[in-house]
């Protein structure tokens, strides 16, 4: 898998700082599972966080702080803390997504959104005023031109699409903010299945698209 | 939550009085020997900084104290997960504190993947040099951070420590969001260049 499109440095920084929605973190984690380059960038951003933590002006702990810690350690039974392992990828779907798509892509209860576009909303993922959803888009479909009130991250799982900024295939991540408008067109050969997180509502431009907005509800 | 920019400039000391290797020894000894004295050294250095971090994320002083204590309890419990080949002690502690902050203050979770694992997909078209081989060198990174222009560091600090989104940073510093992002890119380009990586 040759990945050509990656999240912006500013997005990686926000992720490392913990300043993104859970939905954004899910899409970024899914991309990083596939992308060693971005795992590297994330490790650097975390290291910057560690350095900046060391630089912070210390605020004295309360007098009994350390005693409290020892009594908490002694009172609460020492349970072995295991780090939850990321499940294995299934059917080309990154492992971090499998808890949300337990049956794989094949048997997802897709709902038709508009002709050519089906969606599945991932439940229970904190996303601010936005959402996380899978879209399955039929070959050759053009998505109405739209901009975003906040940010939008799109990870291509299968198939490909193209817009003004290039071609996006499996593993590629499109990182768009409210300054970018785009009109994606899906390749003619196969449907494009992608994972999209927004942290605010999309804003469609054009009269027909604006009429679609209430129907689409993205 | 408007703060004067002067509040964001930390004191100039960093890792004062503690060598990076010393912190590794302490944490390793906590993991292997359940060494209470080593743990107390870590507490003396990190707990007041973690408390400061929690206050910047919006916690009042007493909750910040409590969150710093809980961070230290987790450090005691998770110490055996620390691998000095993968990250500096400060990086590891930052992640513990950050994840606790997200859980308690933001009340959601942050999905993460193992950053140092080899790619399972061998057909990713990347050369071995692009894989993660060792942790970023903490001392080198400290020195490099010191060379970044203040205007870049202000943006990076606001994002890290006030937990601000880029549009909030943009609002607070009265600069366009594009400028926020380009300053972050410039800062990371410079850090990567300094760490001897190809961009
Ligand atoms: Zn990437």
């Amino acid at each position: 898998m040759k990945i050509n499109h990656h999240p912006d440095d500013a997005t990686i920084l926000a992720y490392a700082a913990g300043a993104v929605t859970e939905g954004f973190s899910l899409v970024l984690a899914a991309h990083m599972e596939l992308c060693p380059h971005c795992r590297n960038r994330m490790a650097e951003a975390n290291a910057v966080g560690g350095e900046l933590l060391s630089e912070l002006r210390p605020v004295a702990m309360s007098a009994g702080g350390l005693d409290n810690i020892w009594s908490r350690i002694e009172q609460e039974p020492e349970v072995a803390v295991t780090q939850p392992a990321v499940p294995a990828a299934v059917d080309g779907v990154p492992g971090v997504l499998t808890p949300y798509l337990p049956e794989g892509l094949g048997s997802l209860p897709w709902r038709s959104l508009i002709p050519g576009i089906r969606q599945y909303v991932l439940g229970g993922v904190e996303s601010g005023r936005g959402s996380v959803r899978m879209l399955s888009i039929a070959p050759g479909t053009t998505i109405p031109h739209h901009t975003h009130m906040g940010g939008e991250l799109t990870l291509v799982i299968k198939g490909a699409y193209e817009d003004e900024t290039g071609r996006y295939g499996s593993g590629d991540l499109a990182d768009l903010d409210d300054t970018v408008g785009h009109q994606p067109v899906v390749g003619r050969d196969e449907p494009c299945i992608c994972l999209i997180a927004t942290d605010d509502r999309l804003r469609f431009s054009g009269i027909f698209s604006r009429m679609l907005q209430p129907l689409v509800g993205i | 939550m408007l703060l004067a920019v002067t509040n964001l400039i930390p004191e100039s000391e960093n890792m004062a009085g503690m060598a990076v290797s010393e912190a590794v020894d302490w944490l390793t000894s906590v993991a292997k020997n359940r060494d209470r004295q080593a743990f107390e050294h870590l507490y003396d250095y990190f707990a007041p900084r973690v408390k400061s971090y929690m206050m910047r994320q919006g916690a009042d002083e007493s909750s910040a104290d409590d969150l710093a204590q809980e961070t230290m309890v987790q450090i005691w419990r998770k110490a055996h997960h620390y691998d000095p080949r993968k990250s500096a002690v400060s990086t590891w502690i930052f992640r513990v504190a950050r994840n606790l902050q997200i859980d308690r203050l933001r009340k959601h979770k942050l999905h993460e993947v193992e950053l140092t694992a080899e790619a399972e997909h061998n057909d990713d078209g990347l050369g071995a040099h692009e894989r993660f081989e060792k942790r970023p060198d903490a001392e080198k990174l400290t020195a490099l951070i010191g060379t970044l222009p203040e205007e870049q560091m202000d943006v990076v600090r606001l994002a890290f420590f006030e937990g601000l989104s880029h549009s909030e940073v943009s609002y607070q510093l009265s600069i366009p969001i594009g400028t926020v992002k380009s300053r972050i890119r410039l800062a990371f380009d410079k850090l990567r260049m300094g760490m001897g990586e190809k961009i």
Side-chain angles (χ1 to χ4, degrees):
Chain A
M1 183 185 297
K2 172 78 177 130
I3 298 177
N4 295 311
H5 298 277
H6 307 273
D8 192 280
D9 279 329
T11 304
I12 301 247
L13 173 78
Y15 182 25
V20 295
T21 60
E22 183 186 345
F24 269 35
S25 78
L26 186 64
V27 178
L28 289 163
H31 172 77
M32 285 182 188
E33 218 180 299
L34 307 168
C35 183
H37 171 65
C38 287
R39 287 202 294 276
N40 220 338
R41 295 168 72 205
M42 182 66 174
E44 279 160 2
N46 281 333
V48 171
E51 287 306 305
L52 294 181
L53 176 70
S54 303
E55 278 184 12
L56 280 181
R57 184 181 286 110
V59 177
M61 292 293 288
S62 57
L66 188 57
D67 291 338
N68 282 344
I69 290 170
W70 287 127
S71 63
R72 279 164 89 164
I73 287 171
E74 277 150 23
Q75 279 165 15
E76 295 162 27
E78 182 117 3
V79 280
V81 182
T82 48
Q83 284 169 330
V86 170
V90 176
D91 191 18
V93 178
V96 284
L97 300 178
T98 55
Y100 300 95
L101 314 166
E103 314 286 323
L105 286 180
S107 49
L108 267 191
W110 296 104
R111 277 166 193 257
S112 182
L113 201 55
I114 51 176
I117 306 179
R118 294 182 302 160
Q119 73 159 342
Y120 173 72
V121 178
L122 275 64
V125 185
E126 186 283 323
S127 296
R129 280 181 294 180
S131 62
V132 189
R133 61 190 70 215
M134 303 283 296
L135 285 188
S136 173
I137 309 162
T141 306
T142 299
I143 315 262
H145 193 274
H146 61 280
T147 54
H148 313 96
M149 309 273 278
E152 180 190 83
L153 297 178
T154 304
L155 176 69
V156 177
I157 308 283
K158 277 182 170 31
Y161 74 84
E162 260 183 79
D163 71 6
E164 295 86 335
T165 61
R167 181 184 183 279
Y168 293 79
S170 182
D172 280 324
L173 184 138
D175 184 352
L176 299 173
D177 62 30
D178 53 7
T179 60
V180 187
H182 71 147
Q183 185 164 24
V185 182
V186 170
R188 302 212 155 268
D189 307 332
E190 55 175 332
C192 178
I193 296 179
C194 45
L195 176 71
I196 301 184
T198 51
D199 57 4
D200 211 325
R201 295 167 63 80
L202 298 190
R203 187 164 36 187
F204 288 91
S205 43
I207 291 171
F208 285 106
S209 309
R210 263 186 269 140
M211 284 165 63
L212 277 175
Q213 178 101 58
L215 303 175
V216 177
I218 299 184
Chain B
M1 185 164 76
L2 274 167
L3 285 172
V5 172
T6 47
N7 284 349
L8 304 169
I9 299 170
E11 58 189 13
S12 56
E13 69 160 36
N14 48 51
M15 300 299 261
M18 185 187 66
V20 170
S21 59
E22 219 171 10
V24 173
D25 292 344
W26 289 336
L27 189 50
T28 310
S29 188
V30 168
K32 285 198 183 137
N33 313 317
R34 304 271 78 186
D35 180 341
R36 289 185 165 228
Q37 204 188 344
F39 179 79
E40 293 186 5
H41 287 308
L42 288 171
Y43 173 87
D44 287 341
Y45 185 82
F46 284 104
R49 288 169 169 84
V50 171
K51 180 173 174 179
S52 180
Y53 168 72
M54 295 300 180
M55 288 172 74
R56 280 160 185 265
Q57 298 290 330
D60 61 40
E61 204 200 325
S62 99
S63 338
D65 203 280
D66 196 54
L67 288 168
Q69 290 179 29
E70 193 167 344
T71 303
M72 294 307 300
V73 172
Q74 290 199 8
I75 288 167
W76 177 266
R77 298 230 160 104
K78 294 181 178 172
H80 58 287
H81 289 299
Y82 173 68
D83 181 345
R85 291 166 305 177
K86 292 183 179 176
S87 67
V89 171
S90 59
T91 308
W92 189 77
I93 291 180
F94 167 70
R95 285 183 53 210
V96 172
R98 179 199 64 197
N99 291 354
L100 187 68
Q101 177 268 117
I102 293 169
D103 184 62
R104 297 301 156 81
L105 301 176
R106 295 179 179 248
K107 305 204 187 296
H108 65 84
K109 64 188 275 200
L110 190 79
H111 296 273
E112 285 187 283
V113 290
E114 177 63 59
L115 294 176
T116 46
E118 280 293 296
E120 282 168 31
H121 311 267
N122 295 319
D123 56 341
D124 56 22
L126 293 173
H129 61 286
E130 283 189 88
R131 293 175 193 282
F132 196 85
E133 280 164 358
K134 65 180 183 61
R135 68 176 169 89
D137 179 333
E139 275 121 337
K140 204 166 166 184
L141 196 58
T142 311
L144 280 167
I145 286 173
T147 68
L148 293 176
E150 264 318 301
E151 62 165 34
Q152 290 172 19
M153 281 314 297
D154 283 344
V155 169
V156 170
R157 280 195 200 102
L158 274 170
F160 262 110
F161 292 124
E162 313 299 325
L164 295 185
S165 69
H166 301 314
S167 54
E168 289 164 328
V169 173
S170 146
Y171 176 73
Q172 201 165 108
L173 296 178
S174 306
I175 52 175
I177 195 160
T179 309
V180 172
K181 292 189 173 186
S182 64
R183 285 184 189 173
I184 292 171
R185 269 177 231 132
L186 286 169
F188 275 84
D189 280 352
K190 192 160 177 192
L191 293 177
R192 279 193 284 265
M193 210 129 68
M195 300 299 280
E197 286 166 43
K198 69 171 208 156
I199 295 169

